[in-house]
Amino acid sequence: MYAFDIERPTTVADAVKLLVASEENQPLSGGQTLIPTLKQRLASPETLISLTGIDEIKGICEDDSGRICIGAATTHAEVASGAGKYPALAALASHIGDPAVRNRGTIGGSLANNDPSACYPAAALGSGAVIVTNSRDIAADDYFQGMFTTALEPGEIITEVKFPVPQKAAYMKFEQPASRFALVGVFVAQYEGGVRVAVTGASEEGVFRWSEAEAALSSDFSASALEGLSLPGDGMISDMHGSGDYRAHLVAVMTRRAVTAAG
Amino acid sequence: MPQVSMTVNGKPATGQIEGRTLLVDFIRETLNLTGTHVGCDTSQCGACVVHVNGKAVKSCTMFAAEAEGADVLTIEGVAAPDGTLDTVQQAFHEHHGLQCGFCTPGMVMSAKALLAENPTPTEAEIRDYLEGNICRCTGYHNIVKAIMAASGQDVSKIAAE
């Protein structure tokens, strides 16, 4: 790692002040992606602003409209055990990485990084969640803007994520066994207004909504409603773990499994 | 150079660190507690697992600065002060849950974290929990058996090899 300083503010306001003090400063949440990145010298911040000492962005609660609101610095393990009102979300969190990773990694860190194979982006987009920052609310549909790219501006910190709780939902992940990231993961959620299907791990553009599947499931929420639907392999990630065509095929398989699991 | 203070194995520990000092480097190089191992240095292998405020974490993927004020338990703090092995350590000994021993500190720390959360795990739950702890010698069977035994369960029906 290149040398850098670490600051540990205890309020969001202080964290933002420290973050904007230099363009070379960078926020650090659970560090389960950022620390390996620093070790490879792929990042060289001047100062890391650690967010894990900020109590106001930790914890899980429910707002007046029944949404599950999760503080950005809440760990995957805490979501797995504390988001029981949204079982599909808790289940997703309980299968990220391994137990030690889940004790450090945070929802805000995962969404800010927007790894194309991360699990949380599928939950946020598949639930139509709202990503709350220190300065505004961002709808998930506007937030994800491609691989490792989000609507976050420099100096902006995610503070909370608000998830509307669906009638039914499930996440199915085809795991890449070495990294434990999703080779393909599909989050399906049925709301009163329709069904949302979000796919991670597959597209070169990062997490996306599969609109044809959403339309089919909105009129008939069953795996059979998906028969004949498929996505092209073009634009899908193609690497040593699987070709684009293979990933496209997996998307359809995992979507059917998610619908069946959601019941 | 900034200073960090934490409690390690029940004793206060203070030292000078850089921002980039990893918790595992502080434990091994500043405190000379070399039982915590660095296997992969890429968060995969789990040889560096320690407990921070009661939670298992990979100490190669956490900065020492972030453990300020924390209560850290390493493998050196597991046995009683007179050297009497802890239940998990004793079970690893009795069921031959190790060969070369490199992964063992992390295995024991993960096993202890599992049993704190789930005192009588099934074999499948143990295997699932050890997903982030890699052993290249044992094939895991005896590790799983040791953890089952440490939880007070009958291990006579588990395959030996």
Side-chain angles (χ1 to χ4, degrees), chain B residues 87-88 91 95 111 114-116 118-123 125-126 143-155 158:
Chain B
T87 315
V88 173
H95 296 275
L114 166 63
L115 296 181
N118 180 357
T120 50
T122 63
E123 183 179 344
E125 284 169 342
I126 294 171
I143 293 173
V144 174
K145 202 171 178 179
I147 297 170
M148 291 285 278
S151 67
Q153 301 184 78
D154 177 19
V155 293
I158 297 180

Side-chain angles (χ1 to χ4, degrees), chain A:
Chain A
M1 282 181 276
Y2 295 110
F4 50 79
D5 294 325
I6 289 192
E7 294 284 353
R8 296 197 80 218
T10 53
T11 66
V12 171
D14 285 348
V16 172
K17 259 184 235 161
L18 289 162
L19 190 56
V20 299
S22 160
E23 280 181 14
E24 304 301 319
N25 291 357
Q26 202 175 339
L28 166 71
S29 193
Q32 301 304 286
T33 297
L34 182 53
I35 295 175
T37 306
L38 290 163
K39 287 182 182 182
Q40 292 178 63
R41 293 191 162 187
L42 294 173
S44 56
E46 188 177 311
T47 302
L48 285 181
I49 316 302
S50 167
L51 308 178
T52 55
I54 306 176
D55 288 339
E56 63 183 297
I57 57 168
K58 290 180 186 173
I60 301 170
C61 64
E62 199 178 333
D63 72 2
D64 292 341
S65 19
R67 290 183 296 187
I68 299 290
C69 303
I70 303 178
T74 308
T75 64
H76 308 327
E78 288 161 349
V79 174
S81 63
K85 293 222 163 127
Y86 192 166
L89 181 66
L92 173 145
S94 75
H95 288 94
I96 298 173
D98 60 54
V101 167
R102 293 195 285 274
N103 281 334
R104 289 295 300 166
T106 67
I107 185 168
S110 172
L111 293 175
N113 188 47
N114 192 18
D115 188 294
S117 300
C119 297
Y120 268 130
L125 189 62
S127 306
V130 174
I131 287 97
V132 182
T133 76
N134 56 301
S135 55
R136 58 184 170 143
D137 288 2
I138 310 171
D141 284 321
D142 303 323
Y143 176 81
F144 298 102
Q145 300 189 347
M147 202 180 267
F148 298 110
T149 309
T150 70
L152 291 175
E153 300 286 346
E156 195 170 12
I157 293 173
I158 301 176
T159 55
E160 192 179 34
V161 190
K162 296 183 176 179
F163 290 89
V165 180
Q167 294 156 334
K168 292 176 181 177
Y171 176 64
M172 278 290 145
K173 167 161 78 160
F174 192 95
E175 200 169 276
Q176 205 279 78
S179 72
R180 305 173 196 105
F181 273 96
L183 193 65
V184 165
V186 179
F187 197 96
V188 173
Q190 183 181 40
Y191 289 90
E192 210 171 28
V195 174
R196 295 175 71 102
V197 176
V199 180
T200 188
S203 170
E204 288 175 344
E205 300 298 315
V207 67
F208 70 96
R209 286 173 69 184
W210 186 10
S211 46
E212 291 85 356
E214 290 184 351
L217 292 170
S218 292
S219 48
D220 172 15
F221 192 79
S222 72
S224 57
L226 296 165
E227 263 173 43
L229 289 187
S230 63
L231 283 164
D234 297 345
M236 295 288 176
I237 299 167
S238 200
D239 59 20
M240 63 186 289
H241 305 297
S243 66
D245 287 342
Y246 179 63
R247 279 185 165 84
H249 176 75
L250 273 184
V251 172
V253 174
M254 300 320 279
T255 306
R256 288 198 295 273
R257 287 188 191 172
V259 171
T260 304

Side-chain angles (χ1 to χ4, degrees), chain B:
Chain B
M1 208 181 268
Q3 182 170 293
V4 69
S5 297
M6 63 190 84
T7 303
V8 179
N9 302 332
K11 293 179 201 141
T14 298
Q16 305 295 316
I17 53 163
E18 290 185 73
R20 61 183 167 179
T21 304
L22 296 165
L23 178 59
V24 70
D25 293 331
F26 180 75
I27 289 169
R28 286 178 57 87
E29 288 168 27
T30 305
L31 305 181
N32 292 317
L33 295 171
T34 54
T36 301
H37 291 166
V38 179
C40 66
D41 203 25
T42 57
S43 332
Q44 307 281 319
C45 81
C48 67
V49 169
V50 301
H51 295 187
V52 175
N53 295 329
K55 304 282 184 196
V57 305
K58 292 183 170 173
S59 60
C60 83
T61 311
M62 175 173 176
F63 292 115
E66 293 198 289
E68 172 66 38
D71 190 3
V72 177
L73 180 70
T74 73
I75 190 69
E76 288 88 348
V78 171
D82 69 358
T84 306
L85 296 182
D86 155 274
T87 315
V88 173
Q89 291 174 309
Q90 186 64 36
F92 269 66
H93 173 69
E94 285 169 12
H95 296 275
H96 198 60
L98 63 152
Q99 286 180 27
C100 86
F102 190 87
C103 73
T104 312
M107 287 288 178
V108 169
M109 298 314 287
S110 283
K112 285 183 65 63
L114 166 63
L115 296 181
E117 273 176 37
N118 180 357
T120 50
T122 63
E123 183 179 344
E125 284 169 342
I126 294 171
R127 290 184 185 277
D128 188 52
Y129 199 90
L130 294 181
E131 198 171 26
N133 289 81
I134 293 174
C135 170
R136 297 292 77 162
C137 303
T138 63
Y140 302 95
H141 287 297
N142 286 350
I143 293 173
V144 174
K145 202 171 178 179
I147 297 170
M148 291 285 278
S151 67
Q153 301 184 78
D154 177 19
V155 293
S156 58
K157 293 195 179 73
I158 297 180
E161 297 300 332

